[in-house]
């Protein structure tokens, strides 16, 4: 079983719709969760992080965390073509993992006009 | 200054060359990281420095040698690389020492390395 799994893509949504990206993780002691956006040929850009159960909103982005279900998601409201990118879920494990992030394989999102 | 910078942007080297990648941040961050990313794959951690000391080496071959001269600078020295080492090399930094649980990592733009 992969340590961090993301919903298989690619995901295609029309402009203005809500894009929903999902991620599950296996380490129950994981404490911090990150979403990165990566455009083709560019480096990952941190767009959201969440540490506590519940929702965290930042502009059009909402991260949701449910530690009991070991599930974290990212919602993008009013999707724009500029949101088209690969989205990487990253999880920092519990214990003395000394900052090691485990990444999911990424979900490719395409927002079409 | 709120970014991580990396030089060079692109590097082409032969298998017998010695070269270095440089990473710099002036945000006062206390942990710095080297990652390798192959096409269509997520980043893979190589090394972690926390408070200028090497805290993680993910069993990286010795042809890659990291160095942290000071709290703002991180180098990756390359020697006798193989063609399969061609990849995007990413540097990242985080505000607190790497042992902290709540510690966002911010990536630089990367160096695209090609080994001939």
């Amino acid at each position: 079983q992969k340590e961090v799994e993301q919903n298989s893509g690619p995901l295609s949504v029309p402009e203005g719709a809500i894009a929903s990206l999902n991620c599950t993780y296996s380490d129950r002691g994981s404490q911090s969760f990150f979403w990165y956006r990566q455009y083709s040929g560019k480096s990952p850009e941190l767009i959201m992080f969440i540490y506590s159960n519940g929702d965290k909103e930042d502009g059009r982005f909402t991260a949701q965390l449910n530690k009991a279900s070991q599930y974290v998601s990212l919602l993008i409201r009013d999707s724009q073509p500029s949101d088209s990118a690969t989205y990487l879920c990253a999880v920092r494990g519990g214990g003395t993992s000394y900052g090691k992030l485990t990444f999911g394989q990424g979900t490719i999102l395409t927002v079409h006009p | 200054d709120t970014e991580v910078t990396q030089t060079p942007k692109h590097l082409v080297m032969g298998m017998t060359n010695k070269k270095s990648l440089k990473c710099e941040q002036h945000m006062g961050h206390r942990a710095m990281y080297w990652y390798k990313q192959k096409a269509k794959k997520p980043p893979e951690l190589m090394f972690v420095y926390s408070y200028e000391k090497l805290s993680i080496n993910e069993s990286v071959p010795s042809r890659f040698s990291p160095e942290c001269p000071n709290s703002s600078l991180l180098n990756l020295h390359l020697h006798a690389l193989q063609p399969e080492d061609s990849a995007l090399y990413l540097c990242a930094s985080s505000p607190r020492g790497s042992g902290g649980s709540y510690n966002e990592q911010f990536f630089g733009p990367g160096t695209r390395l090609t080994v001939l």
Side-chain angles (χ1 to χ4, degrees), chain B residues 70-84:
Chain B
N70 58 57
S71 59
S72 301
L73 193 53
L74 186 66
N75 297 320
L76 185 63
H77 302 297
L78 314 173
H79 172 57
L81 294 193
Q82 304 296 310
E84 59 264 29

Side-chain angles (χ1 to χ4, degrees), chain A residues 31-32 34 36 38 41-46 49 51 67 88 92-93 95 97-101 103-106 108, chain B residues 33 35 37 40-43 45 48 55-56 58 88 90 98-110 112:
Chain A
Q31 297 179 328
S32 42
F34 307 88
Y36 288 87
Q38 187 170 25
K42 301 294 186 183
S43 64
E45 175 192 3
L46 180 65
F49 58 90
Y51 301 147
K67 288 187 179 180
L88 294 163
R92 195 249 193 233
S97 59
Y98 292 103
K100 181 175 178 177
L101 294 184
F103 286 86
Q105 290 299 304
I108 298 172
Chain B
Y33 311 78
Y35 287 86
Q37 187 176 27
K40 300 190 188 306
K41 297 288 186 185
L45 183 65
V48 180
S55 59
I56 293 182
E58 288 284 281
L88 181 67
L90 295 161
S98 62
S101 299
Y102 309 110
N103 205 11
E104 310 83 64
Q105 290 186 25
F106 300 91
F107 285 88
R112 178 79 55 190

Side-chain angles (χ1 to χ4, degrees), chain B residues 4-23:
Chain B
V4 178
T5 60
Q6 290 186 246
T7 54
K9 286 188 170 57
H10 301 274
L11 179 62
V12 179
M13 60 186 291
M15 290 190 283
T16 57
N17 292 158
K18 285 186 182 181
K19 297 285 184 184
S20 296
L21 309 184
K22 179 180 171 182
C23 173

